[in-house]
PDB file of all heavy atoms in Angstrom:
ATOM      1  N   ASN A   1     -18.556 113.243   1.630  1.00 82.00           N
ATOM      2  CA  ASN A   1     -18.752 112.218   0.614  1.00 82.00           C
ATOM      3  C   ASN A   1     -19.042 112.829  -0.756  1.00 82.00           C
ATOM      4  O   ASN A   1     -19.277 114.027  -0.901  1.00 82.00           O
ATOM      5  CB  ASN A   1     -19.836 111.210   1.030  1.00 82.00           C
ATOM      6  CG  ASN A   1     -21.232 111.827   1.054  1.00 82.00           C
ATOM      7  OD1 ASN A   1     -21.611 112.601   0.193  1.00 82.00           O
ATOM      8  ND2 ASN A   1     -22.011 111.451   2.070  1.00 82.00           N
ATOM      9  N   GLY A   2     -19.010 111.961  -1.768  1.00 86.00           N
ATOM     10  CA  GLY A   2     -19.147 112.435  -3.135  1.00 86.00           C
ATOM     11  C   GLY A   2     -20.464 113.117  -3.424  1.00 86.00           C
ATOM     12  O   GLY A   2     -20.510 114.086  -4.186  1.00 86.00           O
ATOM     13  N   MET A   3     -21.535 112.632  -2.835  1.00 87.00           N
ATOM     14  CA  MET A   3     -22.839 113.243  -3.083  1.00 87.00           C
ATOM     15  C   MET A   3     -22.897 114.658  -2.516  1.00 87.00           C
ATOM     16  O   MET A   3     -23.425 115.581  -3.152  1.00 87.00           O
ATOM     17  CB  MET A   3     -23.943 112.380  -2.453  1.00 87.00           C
ATOM     18  CG  MET A   3     -25.347 112.763  -2.897  1.00 87.00           C
ATOM     19  SD  MET A   3     -25.573 112.621  -4.688  1.00 87.00           S
ATOM     20  CE  MET A   3     -25.266 110.870  -4.927  1.00 87.00           C
ATOM     21  N   GLU A   4     -22.355 114.862  -1.318  1.00 88.00           N
ATOM     22  CA  GLU A   4     -22.314 116.204  -0.724  1.00 88.00           C
ATOM     23  C   GLU A   4     -21.456 117.143  -1.561  1.00 88.00           C
ATOM     24  O   GLU A   4     -21.810 118.307  -1.783  1.00 88.00           O
ATOM     25  CB  GLU A   4     -21.765 116.117   0.710  1.00 88.00           C
ATOM     26  CG  GLU A   4     -22.692 115.398   1.675  1.00 88.00           C
ATOM     27  CD  GLU A   4     -22.002 115.091   3.001  1.00 88.00           C
ATOM     28  OE1 GLU A   4     -20.760 115.113   3.039  1.00 88.00           O
ATOM     29  OE2 GLU A   4     -22.711 114.809   3.984  1.00 88.00           O
ATOM     30  N   ALA A   5     -20.323 116.640  -2.031  1.00 89.00           N
ATOM     31  CA  ALA A   5     -19.437 117.452  -2.875  1.00 89.00           C
ATOM     32  C   ALA A   5     -20.139 117.825  -4.175  1.00 89.00           C
ATOM     33  O   ALA A   5     -20.050 118.973  -4.641  1.00 89.00           O
ATOM     34  CB  ALA A   5     -18.151 116.689  -3.175  1.00 89.00           C
ATOM     35  N   ALA A   6     -20.842 116.879  -4.769  1.00 89.00           N
ATOM     36  CA  ALA A   6     -21.537 117.141  -6.029  1.00 89.00           C
ATOM     37  C   ALA A   6     -22.620 118.200  -5.864  1.00 89.00           C
ATOM     38  O   ALA A   6     -22.799 119.064  -6.736  1.00 89.00           O
ATOM     39  CB  ALA A   6     -22.144 115.843  -6.567  1.00 89.00           C
ATOM     40  N   LYS A   7     -23.331 118.167  -4.759  1.00 89.00           N
ATOM     41  CA  LYS A   7     -24.378 119.166  -4.510  1.00 89.00           C
ATOM     42  C   LYS A   7     -23.787 120.570  -4.407  1.00 89.00           C
ATOM     43  O   LYS A   7     -24.351 121.542  -4.911  1.00 89.00           O
ATOM     44  CB  LYS A   7     -25.148 118.816  -3.234  1.00 89.00           C
ATOM     45  CG  LYS A   7     -26.055 117.600  -3.369  1.00 89.00           C
ATOM     46  CD  LYS A   7     -26.719 117.249  -2.052  1.00 89.00           C
ATOM     47  CE  LYS A   7     -27.594 116.010  -2.186  1.00 89.00           C
ATOM     48  NZ  LYS A   7     -28.195 115.614  -0.884  1.00 89.00           N
ATOM     49  N   LYS A   8     -22.624 120.678  -3.761  1.00 90.00           N
ATOM     50  CA  LYS A   8     -21.956 121.985  -3.665  1.00 90.00           C
ATOM     51  C   LYS A   8     -21.507 122.464  -5.038  1.00 90.00           C
ATOM     52  O   LYS A   8     -21.680 123.634  -5.395  1.00 90.00           O
ATOM     53  CB  LYS A   8     -20.754 121.880  -2.721  1.00 90.00           C
ATOM     54  CG  LYS A   8     -21.114 121.778  -1.260  1.00 90.00           C
ATOM     55  CD  LYS A   8     -19.883 121.570  -0.396  1.00 90.00           C
ATOM     56  CE  LYS A   8     -18.933 122.739  -0.432  1.00 90.00           C
ATOM     57  NZ  LYS A   8     -17.782 122.562   0.489  1.00 90.00           N
ATOM     58  N   ILE A   9     -20.925 121.564  -5.822  1.00 89.00           N
ATOM     59  CA  ILE A   9     -20.456 121.927  -7.157  1.00 89.00           C
ATOM     60  C   ILE A   9     -21.612 122.409  -8.023  1.00 89.00           C
ATOM     61  O   ILE A   9     -21.493 123.399  -8.758  1.00 89.00           O
ATOM     62  CB  ILE A   9     -19.758 120.723  -7.822  1.00 89.00           C
ATOM     63  CG1 ILE A   9     -18.462 120.383  -7.075  1.00 89.00           C
ATOM     64  CG2 ILE A   9     -19.467 121.001  -9.297  1.00 89.00           C
ATOM     65  CD1 ILE A   9     -17.865 119.035  -7.467  1.00 89.00           C
ATOM     66  N   ARG A  10     -22.738 121.753  -7.917  1.00 87.00           N
ATOM     67  CA  ARG A  10     -23.892 122.100  -8.754  1.00 87.00           C
ATOM     68  C   ARG A  10     -24.490 123.469  -8.411  1.00 87.00           C
ATOM     69  O   ARG A  10     -25.233 124.032  -9.210  1.00 87.00           O
ATOM     70  CB  ARG A  10     -24.975 121.026  -8.626  1.00 87.00           C
ATOM     71  CG  ARG A  10     -24.673 119.767  -9.422  1.00 87.00           C
ATOM     72  CD  ARG A  10     -24.761 120.037 -10.909  1.00 87.00           C
ATOM     73  NE  ARG A  10     -24.549 118.832 -11.712  1.00 87.00           N
ATOM     74  CZ  ARG A  10     -23.532 118.656 -12.530  1.00 87.00           C
ATOM     75  NH1 ARG A  10     -22.597 119.593 -12.643  1.00 87.00           N
ATOM     76  NH2 ARG A  10     -23.424 117.565 -13.246  1.00 87.00           N
ATOM     77  N   THR A  11     -24.169 124.011  -7.267  1.00 84.00           N
ATOM     78  CA  THR A  11     -24.689 125.349  -6.940  1.00 84.00           C
ATOM     79  C   THR A  11     -24.072 126.420  -7.829  1.00 84.00           C
ATOM     80  O   THR A  11     -24.638 127.505  -7.984  1.00 84.00           O
ATOM     81  CB  THR A  11     -24.427 125.713  -5.464  1.00 84.00           C
ATOM     82  OG1 THR A  11     -23.008 125.738  -5.215  1.00 84.00           O
ATOM     83  CG2 THR A  11     -25.087 124.716  -4.531  1.00 84.00           C
ATOM     84  N   VAL A  12     -22.911 126.141  -8.412  1.00 79.00           N
ATOM     85  CA  VAL A  12     -22.243 127.135  -9.264  1.00 79.00           C
ATOM     86  C   VAL A  12     -21.908 126.598 -10.650  1.00 79.00           C
ATOM     87  O   VAL A  12     -21.532 127.375 -11.540  1.00 79.00           O
ATOM     88  CB  VAL A  12     -20.945 127.655  -8.610  1.00 79.00           C
ATOM     89  CG1 VAL A  12     -21.242 128.349  -7.300  1.00 79.00           C
ATOM     90  CG2 VAL A  12     -19.951 126.521  -8.398  1.00 79.00           C
ATOM     91  N   ASN A  13     -22.029 125.303 -10.873  1.00 81.00           N
ATOM     92  CA  ASN A  13     -21.596 124.725 -12.142  1.00 81.00           C
ATOM     93  C   ASN A  13     -22.534 123.585 -12.544  1.00 81.00           C
ATOM     94  O   ASN A  13     -22.521 122.516 -11.943  1.00 81.00           O
ATOM     95  CB  ASN A  13     -20.160 124.210 -12.008  1.00 81.00           C
ATOM     96  CG  ASN A  13     -19.560 123.801 -13.338  1.00 81.00           C
ATOM     97  OD1 ASN A  13     -20.262 123.439 -14.277  1.00 81.00           O
ATOM     98  ND2 ASN A  13     -18.244 123.859 -13.425  1.00 81.00           N
ATOM     99  N   ASN A  14     -23.321 123.831 -13.583  1.00 80.00           N
ATOM    100  CA  ASN A  14     -24.237 122.808 -14.079  1.00 80.00           C
ATOM    101  C   ASN A  14     -23.717 122.094 -15.310  1.00 80.00           C
ATOM    102  O   ASN A  14     -24.338 121.143 -15.788  1.00 80.00           O
ATOM    103  CB  ASN A  14     -25.598 123.435 -14.402  1.00 80.00           C
ATOM    104  CG  ASN A  14     -26.359 123.849 -13.167  1.00 80.00           C
ATOM    105  OD1 ASN A  14     -26.414 123.090 -12.194  1.00 80.00           O
ATOM    106  ND2 ASN A  14     -26.942 125.030 -13.181  1.00 80.00           N
ATOM    107  N   SER A  15     -22.597 122.568 -15.855  1.00 82.00           N
ATOM    108  CA  SER A  15     -22.091 121.985 -17.097  1.00 82.00           C
ATOM    109  C   SER A  15     -21.068 120.875 -16.872  1.00 82.00           C
ATOM    110  O   SER A  15     -20.827 120.065 -17.772  1.00 82.00           O
ATOM    111  CB  SER A  15     -21.470 123.081 -17.971  1.00 82.00           C
ATOM    112  OG  SER A  15     -20.368 123.694 -17.324  1.00 82.00           O
ATOM    113  N   LEU A  16     -20.456 120.830 -15.696  1.00 88.00           N
ATOM    114  CA  LEU A  16     -19.465 119.798 -15.411  1.00 88.00           C
ATOM    115  C   LEU A  16     -20.127 118.418 -15.454  1.00 88.00           C
ATOM    116  O   LEU A  16     -21.169 118.195 -14.839  1.00 88.00           O
ATOM    117  CB  LEU A  16     -18.849 120.023 -14.032  1.00 88.00           C
ATOM    118  CG  LEU A  16     -17.866 118.961 -13.540  1.00 88.00           C
ATOM    119  CD1 LEU A  16     -16.605 118.970 -14.391  1.00 88.00           C
ATOM    120  CD2 LEU A  16     -17.534 119.176 -12.076  1.00 88.00           C
ATOM    121  N   LEU A  17     -19.504 117.488 -16.169  1.00 92.00           N
ATOM    122  CA  LEU A  17     -20.007 116.114 -16.233  1.00 92.00           C
ATOM    123  C   LEU A  17     -19.445 115.337 -15.047  1.00 92.00           C
ATOM    124  O   LEU A  17     -18.237 115.290 -14.840  1.00 92.00           O
ATOM    125  CB  LEU A  17     -19.584 115.457 -17.546  1.00 92.00           C
ATOM    126  CG  LEU A  17     -20.096 116.134 -18.827  1.00 92.00           C
ATOM    127  CD1 LEU A  17     -19.543 115.413 -20.059  1.00 92.00           C
ATOM    128  CD2 LEU A  17     -21.612 116.167 -18.856  1.00 92.00           C
ATOM    129  N   ILE A  18     -20.342 114.739 -14.272  1.00 93.00           N
ATOM    130  CA  ILE A  18     -19.947 114.010 -13.066  1.00 93.00           C
ATOM    131  C   ILE A  18     -20.271 112.529 -13.226  1.00 93.00           C
ATOM    132  O   ILE A  18     -21.396 112.161 -13.569  1.00 93.00           O
ATOM    133  CB  ILE A  18     -20.660 114.561 -11.820  1.00 93.00           C
ATOM    134  CG1 ILE A  18     -20.271 116.023 -11.579  1.00 93.00           C
ATOM    135  CG2 ILE A  18     -20.332 113.720 -10.587  1.00 93.00           C
ATOM    136  CD1 ILE A  18     -21.010 116.678 -10.422  1.00 93.00           C
ATOM    137  N   VAL A  19     -19.273 111.692 -12.985  1.00 93.00           N
ATOM    138  CA  VAL A  19     -19.469 110.242 -12.975  1.00 93.00           C
ATOM    139  C   VAL A  19     -19.134 109.749 -11.572  1.00 93.00           C
ATOM    140  O   VAL A  19     -18.006 109.924 -11.100  1.00 93.00           O
ATOM    141  CB  VAL A  19     -18.564 109.544 -14.010  1.00 93.00           C
ATOM    142  CG1 VAL A  19     -18.690 108.027 -13.877  1.00 93.00           C
ATOM    143  CG2 VAL A  19     -18.931 109.976 -15.419  1.00 93.00           C
ATOM    144  N   PHE A  20     -20.107 109.165 -10.902  1.00 91.00           N
ATOM    145  CA  PHE A  20     -19.863 108.633  -9.564  1.00 91.00           C
ATOM    146  C   PHE A  20     -19.205 107.261  -9.648  1.00 91.00           C
ATOM    147  O   PHE A  20     -19.539 106.448 -10.516  1.00 91.00           O
ATOM    148  CB  PHE A  20     -21.174 108.517  -8.788  1.00 91.00           C
ATOM    149  CG  PHE A  20     -21.699 109.835  -8.291  1.00 91.00           C
ATOM    150  CD1 PHE A  20     -22.858 110.376  -8.821  1.00 91.00           C
ATOM    151  CD2 PHE A  20     -21.027 110.538  -7.301  1.00 91.00           C
ATOM    152  CE1 PHE A  20     -23.341 111.589  -8.367  1.00 91.00           C
ATOM    153  CE2 PHE A  20     -21.501 111.754  -6.845  1.00 91.00           C
ATOM    154  CZ  PHE A  20     -22.660 112.280  -7.382  1.00 91.00           C
ATOM    155  N   VAL A  21     -18.259 107.046  -8.751  1.00 89.00           N
ATOM    156  CA  VAL A  21     -17.579 105.752  -8.653  1.00 89.00           C
ATOM    157  C   VAL A  21     -17.857 105.208  -7.255  1.00 89.00           C
ATOM    158  O   VAL A  21     -17.634 105.895  -6.254  1.00 89.00           O
ATOM    159  CB  VAL A  21     -16.061 105.904  -8.868  1.00 89.00           C
ATOM    160  CG1 VAL A  21     -15.393 104.534  -8.860  1.00 89.00           C
ATOM    161  CG2 VAL A  21     -15.777 106.622 -10.184  1.00 89.00           C
ATOM    162  N   THR A  22     -18.351 104.005  -7.160  1.00 84.00           N
ATOM    163  CA  THR A  22     -18.758 103.479  -5.858  1.00 84.00           C
ATOM    164  C   THR A  22     -18.599 101.958  -5.813  1.00 84.00           C
ATOM    165  O   THR A  22     -18.533 101.295  -6.843  1.00 84.00           O
ATOM    166  CB  THR A  22     -20.235 103.841  -5.580  1.00 84.00           C
ATOM    167  OG1 THR A  22     -20.647 103.264  -4.349  1.00 84.00           O
ATOM    168  CG2 THR A  22     -21.151 103.346  -6.682  1.00 84.00           C
ATOM    169  N   GLY A  23     -18.522 101.457  -4.609  1.00 77.00           N
ATOM    170  CA  GLY A  23     -18.468 100.013  -4.420  1.00 77.00           C
ATOM    171  C   GLY A  23     -19.848  99.417  -4.227  1.00 77.00           C
ATOM    172  O   GLY A  23     -19.991  98.197  -4.104  1.00 77.00           O
ATOM    173  N   TYR A  24     -20.891 100.256  -4.189  1.00 71.00           N
ATOM    174  CA  TYR A  24     -22.251  99.795  -3.909  1.00 71.00           C
ATOM    175  C   TYR A  24     -23.228 100.368  -4.930  1.00 71.00           C
ATOM    176  O   TYR A  24     -23.055 101.488  -5.418  1.00 71.00           O
ATOM    177  CB  TYR A  24     -22.694 100.219  -2.504  1.00 71.00           C
ATOM    178  CG  TYR A  24     -21.708  99.833  -1.421  1.00 71.00           C
ATOM    179  CD1 TYR A  24     -20.732 100.739  -1.007  1.00 71.00           C
ATOM    180  CD2 TYR A  24     -21.746  98.579  -0.829  1.00 71.00           C
ATOM    181  CE1 TYR A  24     -19.816 100.399  -0.025  1.00 71.00           C
ATOM    182  CE2 TYR A  24     -20.831  98.233   0.151  1.00 71.00           C
ATOM    183  CZ  TYR A  24     -19.868  99.143   0.545  1.00 71.00           C
ATOM    184  OH  TYR A  24     -18.968  98.795   1.513  1.00 71.00           O
ATOM    185  N   ALA A  25     -24.264  99.622  -5.214  1.00 66.00           N
ATOM    186  CA  ALA A  25     -25.279 100.078  -6.167  1.00 66.00           C
ATOM    187  C   ALA A  25     -26.377 100.899  -5.486  1.00 66.00           C
ATOM    188  O   ALA A  25     -27.246 101.446  -6.155  1.00 66.00           O
ATOM    189  CB  ALA A  25     -25.906  98.875  -6.874  1.00 66.00           C
ATOM    190  N   ASP A  26     -26.326 101.018  -4.156  1.00 64.00           N
ATOM    191  CA  ASP A  26     -27.405 101.666  -3.413  1.00 64.00           C
ATOM    192  C   ASP A  26     -27.567 103.149  -3.745  1.00 64.00           C
ATOM    193  O   ASP A  26     -28.627 103.729  -3.538  1.00 64.00           O
ATOM    194  CB  ASP A  26     -27.165 101.530  -1.903  1.00 64.00           C
ATOM    195  CG  ASP A  26     -27.070 100.086  -1.464  1.00 64.00           C
ATOM    196  OD1 ASP A  26     -27.386  99.205  -2.294  1.00 64.00           O
ATOM    197  OD2 ASP A  26     -26.677  99.839  -0.320  1.00 64.00           O
ATOM    198  N   TYR A  27     -26.489 103.798  -4.227  1.00 56.00           N
ATOM    199  CA  TYR A  27     -26.515 105.243  -4.412  1.00 56.00           C
ATOM    200  C   TYR A  27     -26.966 105.680  -5.808  1.00 56.00           C
ATOM    201  O   TYR A  27     -27.030 106.868  -6.092  1.00 56.00           O
ATOM    202  CB  TYR A  27     -25.119 105.821  -4.171  1.00 56.00           C
ATOM    203  CG  TYR A  27     -24.602 105.621  -2.771  1.00 56.00           C
ATOM    204  CD1 TYR A  27     -23.752 104.549  -2.481  1.00 56.00           C
ATOM    205  CD2 TYR A  27     -24.946 106.502  -1.745  1.00 56.00           C
ATOM    206  CE1 TYR A  27     -23.267 104.364  -1.190  1.00 56.00           C
ATOM    207  CE2 TYR A  27     -24.465 106.317  -0.467  1.00 56.00           C
ATOM    208  CZ  TYR A  27     -23.626 105.245  -0.190  1.00 56.00           C
ATOM    209  OH  TYR A  27     -23.150 105.070   1.080  1.00 56.00           O
ATOM    210  N   VAL A  28     -27.248 104.723  -6.666  1.00 53.00           N
ATOM    211  CA  VAL A  28     -27.499 105.067  -8.071  1.00 53.00           C
ATOM    212  C   VAL A  28     -28.604 106.095  -8.230  1.00 53.00           C
ATOM    213  O   VAL A  28     -28.458 107.080  -8.952  1.00 53.00           O
ATOM    214  CB  VAL A  28     -27.832 103.789  -8.880  1.00 53.00           C
ATOM    215  CG1 VAL A  28     -28.288 104.167 -10.286  1.00 53.00           C
ATOM    216  CG2 VAL A  28     -26.619 102.876  -8.932  1.00 53.00           C
ATOM    217  N   PHE A  29     -29.724 105.902  -7.547  1.00 50.00           N
ATOM    218  CA  PHE A  29     -30.845 106.813  -7.737  1.00 50.00           C
ATOM    219  C   PHE A  29     -30.559 108.201  -7.178  1.00 50.00           C
ATOM    220  O   PHE A  29     -31.107 109.189  -7.650  1.00 50.00           O
ATOM    221  CB  PHE A  29     -32.115 106.227  -7.104  1.00 50.00           C
ATOM    222  CG  PHE A  29     -32.645 105.042  -7.860  1.00 50.00           C
ATOM    223  CD1 PHE A  29     -32.480 103.763  -7.359  1.00 50.00           C
ATOM    224  CD2 PHE A  29     -33.281 105.206  -9.086  1.00 50.00           C
ATOM    225  CE1 PHE A  29     -32.948 102.664  -8.064  1.00 50.00           C
ATOM    226  CE2 PHE A  29     -33.758 104.108  -9.791  1.00 50.00           C
ATOM    227  CZ  PHE A  29     -33.596 102.825  -9.284  1.00 50.00           C
ATOM    228  N   ASP A  30     -29.688 108.310  -6.178  1.00 56.00           N
ATOM    229  CA  ASP A  30     -29.324 109.620  -5.642  1.00 56.00           C
ATOM    230  C   ASP A  30     -28.624 110.478  -6.685  1.00 56.00           C
ATOM    231  O   ASP A  30     -28.659 111.698  -6.636  1.00 56.00           O
ATOM    232  CB  ASP A  30     -28.406 109.464  -4.424  1.00 56.00           C
ATOM    233  CG  ASP A  30     -29.138 108.895  -3.218  1.00 56.00           C
ATOM    234  OD1 ASP A  30     -30.387 109.029  -3.188  1.00 56.00           O
ATOM    235  OD2 ASP A  30     -28.495 108.325  -2.340  1.00 56.00           O
ATOM    236  N   GLY A  31     -27.993 109.847  -7.646  1.00 52.00           N
ATOM    237  CA  GLY A  31     -27.260 110.582  -8.663  1.00 52.00           C
ATOM    238  C   GLY A  31     -28.140 111.463  -9.521  1.00 52.00           C
ATOM    239  O   GLY A  31     -27.678 112.478 -10.062  1.00 52.00           O
TER     240      GLY A  31
END
């Protein structure tokens, strides 16, 4: 899922801007 992918990306890249796209509002705080 997107959150797992984002965590991997952040281990090597902190400058990439990430915008999550979702059908639910439940994940907002995880971002």
